[in-house]
Short mmCIF file of all heavy atoms in Angstrom, two decimals:
data_model
loop_
_atom_site.label_atom_id
_atom_site.label_comp_id
_atom_site.label_asym_id
_atom_site.label_seq_id
_atom_site.Cartn_x
_atom_site.Cartn_y
_atom_site.Cartn_z
N VAL X 562 89.19 60.40 -54.23
CA VAL X 562 88.72 59.44 -53.40
C VAL X 562 87.43 59.87 -52.77
O VAL X 562 86.45 59.15 -52.68
CB VAL X 562 89.85 58.98 -52.35
CG1 VAL X 562 89.16 58.01 -51.29
CG2 VAL X 562 91.03 58.43 -52.96
N GLU X 563 87.37 61.04 -52.37
CA GLU X 563 86.15 61.66 -51.76
C GLU X 563 84.96 61.72 -52.72
O GLU X 563 83.83 61.36 -52.46
CB GLU X 563 86.35 63.10 -51.23
CG GLU X 563 87.36 63.16 -49.89
CD GLU X 563 88.80 63.14 -50.41
OE1 GLU X 563 89.12 62.86 -51.56
OE2 GLU X 563 89.62 63.36 -49.54
N LYS X 564 85.25 62.01 -53.92
CA LYS X 564 84.27 61.99 -55.00
C LYS X 564 83.65 60.54 -55.34
O LYS X 564 82.52 60.34 -55.55
CB LYS X 564 84.75 62.57 -56.21
CG LYS X 564 84.88 64.20 -56.17
CD LYS X 564 85.30 64.72 -57.48
CE LYS X 564 85.45 66.22 -57.40
NZ LYS X 564 84.13 66.89 -57.23
N LEU X 565 84.61 59.65 -55.23
CA LEU X 565 84.14 58.21 -55.45
C LEU X 565 83.27 57.73 -54.28
O LEU X 565 82.29 57.07 -54.46
CB LEU X 565 85.36 57.28 -55.59
CG LEU X 565 86.19 57.43 -56.88
CD1 LEU X 565 87.59 56.82 -56.71
CD2 LEU X 565 85.52 56.92 -58.03
N GLU X 566 83.68 58.19 -53.05
CA GLU X 566 82.86 57.90 -51.92
C GLU X 566 81.51 58.39 -52.00
O GLU X 566 80.35 57.76 -51.64
CB GLU X 566 83.59 58.33 -50.56
CG GLU X 566 84.79 57.62 -50.21
CD GLU X 566 85.47 58.27 -48.96
OE1 GLU X 566 85.11 59.44 -48.63
OE2 GLU X 566 86.30 57.58 -48.46
N GLN X 567 81.36 59.58 -52.65
CA GLN X 567 80.09 60.26 -52.77
C GLN X 567 79.21 59.48 -53.70
O GLN X 567 77.89 59.49 -53.64
CB GLN X 567 80.23 61.72 -53.18
CG GLN X 567 80.85 62.59 -52.10
CD GLN X 567 81.27 63.92 -52.71
OE1 GLN X 567 80.96 64.22 -53.78
NE2 GLN X 567 81.96 64.70 -51.88
N LEU X 568 79.93 58.79 -54.76
CA LEU X 568 79.12 58.14 -55.75
C LEU X 568 78.59 56.75 -55.23
O LEU X 568 77.72 56.11 -55.91
CB LEU X 568 79.96 57.86 -56.95
CG LEU X 568 80.30 59.10 -57.76
CD1 LEU X 568 81.27 58.70 -58.87
CD2 LEU X 568 79.11 59.85 -58.26
N TRP X 569 78.95 56.33 -53.93
CA TRP X 569 78.31 55.20 -53.44
C TRP X 569 76.75 55.26 -53.31
O TRP X 569 76.06 54.32 -53.49
CB TRP X 569 78.85 55.00 -51.87
CG TRP X 569 80.21 54.42 -51.71
CD1 TRP X 569 81.01 54.14 -52.62
CD2 TRP X 569 80.88 54.12 -50.49
NE1 TRP X 569 82.21 53.70 -52.09
CE2 TRP X 569 82.03 53.51 -50.78
CE3 TRP X 569 80.40 54.12 -49.17
CZ2 TRP X 569 82.99 53.17 -49.86
CZ3 TRP X 569 81.32 53.75 -48.17
CH2 TRP X 569 82.48 53.28 -48.56
N TYR X 570 76.24 56.62 -53.11
CA TYR X 570 74.93 56.79 -52.96
C TYR X 570 74.18 57.22 -54.26
O TYR X 570 73.10 57.73 -54.17
CB TYR X 570 74.63 57.75 -51.82
CG TYR X 570 75.48 57.42 -50.56
CD1 TYR X 570 76.64 58.14 -50.22
CD2 TYR X 570 75.03 56.43 -49.75
CE1 TYR X 570 77.35 57.79 -49.15
CE2 TYR X 570 75.74 56.08 -48.57
CZ TYR X 570 76.95 56.72 -48.27
OH TYR X 570 77.59 56.38 -47.11
N HIS X 571 74.89 56.95 -55.38
CA HIS X 571 74.23 57.51 -56.57
C HIS X 571 73.15 56.58 -56.93
O HIS X 571 73.03 55.41 -56.76
CB HIS X 571 75.33 57.41 -57.73
CG HIS X 571 74.91 58.13 -59.00
ND1 HIS X 571 74.01 57.73 -59.90
CD2 HIS X 571 75.33 59.41 -59.36
CE1 HIS X 571 73.87 58.65 -60.81
NE2 HIS X 571 74.64 59.65 -60.56
N PRO X 572 72.03 57.18 -57.42
CA PRO X 572 70.82 56.36 -57.79
C PRO X 572 71.02 55.26 -58.87
O PRO X 572 70.27 54.43 -58.85
CB PRO X 572 69.66 57.43 -58.09
CG PRO X 572 70.50 58.59 -58.46
CD PRO X 572 71.76 58.69 -57.60
N GLN X 573 71.93 55.65 -59.61
CA GLN X 573 72.28 54.66 -60.67
C GLN X 573 73.16 53.44 -60.22
O GLN X 573 74.37 53.80 -59.87
CB GLN X 573 72.98 55.28 -61.85
CG GLN X 573 72.04 56.19 -62.79
CD GLN X 573 71.44 55.41 -63.89
OE1 GLN X 573 71.85 54.36 -64.31
NE2 GLN X 573 70.30 55.96 -64.50
N GLU X 574 72.65 52.35 -60.16
CA GLU X 574 73.37 51.16 -59.46
C GLU X 574 74.80 50.91 -60.19
O GLU X 574 75.70 50.73 -59.68
CB GLU X 574 72.63 49.98 -59.60
CG GLU X 574 73.29 48.73 -58.80
CD GLU X 574 72.44 47.54 -58.85
OE1 GLU X 574 71.15 47.58 -59.37
OE2 GLU X 574 72.98 46.44 -58.51
N GLU X 575 74.70 51.11 -61.60
CA GLU X 575 76.03 50.93 -62.28
C GLU X 575 77.11 51.92 -61.86
O GLU X 575 78.32 51.56 -61.82
CB GLU X 575 75.75 51.11 -63.80
CG GLU X 575 76.86 50.80 -64.62
CD GLU X 575 76.63 51.01 -66.12
OE1 GLU X 575 75.47 51.14 -66.58
OE2 GLU X 575 77.63 51.11 -67.04
N ILE X 576 76.67 53.12 -61.63
CA ILE X 576 77.63 54.09 -61.21
C ILE X 576 78.14 53.79 -59.83
O ILE X 576 79.43 53.87 -59.55
CB ILE X 576 77.14 55.53 -61.27
CG1 ILE X 576 76.89 55.86 -62.67
CG2 ILE X 576 77.86 56.56 -60.50
CD1 ILE X 576 76.17 57.23 -63.03
N SER X 577 77.22 53.58 -58.91
CA SER X 577 77.69 53.27 -57.48
C SER X 577 78.57 52.02 -57.47
O SER X 577 79.51 52.01 -56.68
CB SER X 577 76.46 53.10 -56.50
OG SER X 577 75.63 51.97 -56.98
N SER X 578 78.18 50.97 -58.15
CA SER X 578 78.99 49.73 -58.16
C SER X 578 80.44 50.05 -58.76
O SER X 578 81.40 49.48 -58.20
CB SER X 578 78.35 48.69 -59.05
OG SER X 578 77.14 48.34 -58.42
N SER X 579 80.41 50.80 -59.77
CA SER X 579 81.83 51.13 -60.38
C SER X 579 82.70 51.85 -59.47
O SER X 579 83.82 51.65 -59.24
CB SER X 579 81.59 51.89 -61.72
OG SER X 579 81.04 51.27 -62.72
N ALA X 580 82.12 52.82 -58.64
CA ALA X 580 82.85 53.61 -57.82
C ALA X 580 83.34 52.78 -56.45
O ALA X 580 84.57 52.80 -56.13
CB ALA X 580 81.99 54.75 -57.17
#
Side-chain angles (χ1 to χ4, degrees):
V562 174
E563 290 83 350
K564 288 183 178 291
L565 290 168
E566 289 175 346
Q567 293 168 8
L568 291 177
W569 283 4
Y570 308 103
H571 198 281
Q573 287 269 342
E574 184 179 353
E575 183 181 346
I576 290 176
S577 61
S578 297
S579 294

